[in-house]
Amino acid sequence: MENQKSIAAAIFGGLVALGLLGAGYFVSNTLYKAKFASNVVTVRGFAERDAKADLGTWQFSFSLTGDVLSEVYNKVSDSEKTVKKFLTDKGLKVEDIGTGKVAVTDLLADQYRSTPVTTGRYILKDTITVRTLQVDKIDEASRDLNTLIQQGIVLASNNVDYQFTKLNDVKTDMLREATQNARAAAQQFANDAGSKVGAIQSASQGYFSISSRDQSSDNSEGSAVERTSTIDKKVRVVVTLTYYLDR
């Protein structure tokens, strides 16, 4: 009987020991994985390129006033012909020049007007829109508006918008450059910590921004607001990567 109790006690003790060993293994293994997972570094990399706008949109308007509607309209038509000739003389294509509907304002039709209309009852406004890939031609023409003023045409509004539309042509190379920049930063950190850069744990591309090349910026993500009235652009991308660090 006593021998049987001793054997049972020995078996029970062995099972307990095995359980403790197993528990110790799982605890140590969990701690190891947790420690390994904490050995990471998160870095940002960026790439910048100077670029030139390849699409320009120029919209401007002029207005004339008078008391006889037909006469004012004829003057607007003559002025429109003068503007188109000015643009084509600057090298812009006729098919890239568009005109909108002439807007007519009758001051006598304004029921809220408190002062009498003595002259200039009708105000006619005409809008010209130029949309072209010839951005240099728009730039040249928009800088020589004195020519139109000398011909009696004064602009009521004048807006130029330059855009860079070839982002896909540079996107792949810029992402590669930004990733290399991020890895170099991670490597420097690893060198200082006595570690080695391992595999990528996670990556975030961020976004591409296009802004004026000479625009002031604090270089922080999302700080730049595009100034569309300039031809010269700056394309920028920021990526965020997390690397494992190997001992």
Side-chain angles (χ1 to χ4, degrees), residues 31-49:
L31 291 175
Y32 169 77
K33 289 183 177 180
K35 182 178 180 181
F36 179 77
S38 66
N39 291 333
V40 296
V41 59
T42 300
V43 292
R44 281 188 175 184
F46 71 94
E48 290 183 343
R49 293 272 181 94

Side-chain angles (χ1 to χ4, degrees), residues 57-241:
T57 304
W58 183 19
Q59 187 174 79
F60 56 92
S61 62
F62 60 90
S63 59
L64 293 170
T65 61
D67 295 312
V68 181
L69 181 59
S70 59
E71 293 179 356
V72 182
Y73 185 84
N74 289 334
K75 289 180 181 180
V76 170
S77 297
D78 292 339
S79 296
E80 186 177 292
K81 294 176 182 177
T82 300
V83 171
K84 287 184 176 179
K85 184 178 184 305
F86 164 76
L87 295 174
T88 54
D89 287 346
K90 290 297 182 180
L92 290 163
K93 300 176 181 178
V94 176
E95 57 267 28
D96 292 337
I97 304 171
T99 57
K101 294 182 179 179
V102 177
V104 181
T105 300
D106 183 358
L107 296 182
L108 288 182
D110 184 0
Q111 59 180 328
Y112 300 104
R113 187 178 181 85
S114 58
T115 58
V117 179
T118 57
T119 184
R121 171 183 174 179
Y122 296 103
I123 303 175
L124 273 65
K125 181 179 179 181
D126 194 6
T127 300
I128 307 292
T129 300
V130 181
R131 182 180 174 86
T132 179
L133 303 178
Q134 298 176 289
V135 292
D136 291 325
K137 299 296 184 182
I138 286 186
D139 186 52
E140 179 185 353
S142 64
R143 295 176 186 274
D144 192 25
L145 295 179
N146 287 336
T147 300
L148 289 178
I149 296 176
Q150 292 170 0
Q151 298 180 69
I153 299 174
V154 180
L155 301 185
S157 64
N158 178 28
N159 298 294
V160 182
D161 179 17
Y162 295 109
Q163 298 178 27
F164 176 69
T165 66
K166 298 180 179 180
L167 180 60
N168 286 335
D169 293 348
V170 299
K171 181 180 292 186
T172 300
D173 290 340
M174 289 189 65
L175 284 173
R176 183 184 300 110
E177 182 180 338
T179 302
Q180 292 172 349
N181 180 266
R183 187 173 182 83
Q187 187 61 58
Q188 182 60 53
F189 181 89
N191 292 341
D192 295 339
S195 303
K196 295 180 180 179
V197 177
I200 296 176
Q201 182 195 58
S202 62
S204 172
Q205 174 183 312
Y207 73 103
F208 280 86
S209 64
I210 303 174
S211 59
S212 171
R213 186 189 65 185
D214 301 320
Q215 175 178 324
S216 60
S217 170
D218 61 4
N219 287 327
S220 62
E221 188 173 355
S223 64
V225 177
E226 181 176 4
R227 190 173 301 158
T228 59
S229 60
T230 59
I231 289 180
D232 296 318
K233 305 293 185 180
K234 178 173 65 178
V235 184
R236 189 171 193 263
V237 63
V238 178
V239 297
T240 303
L241 294 99

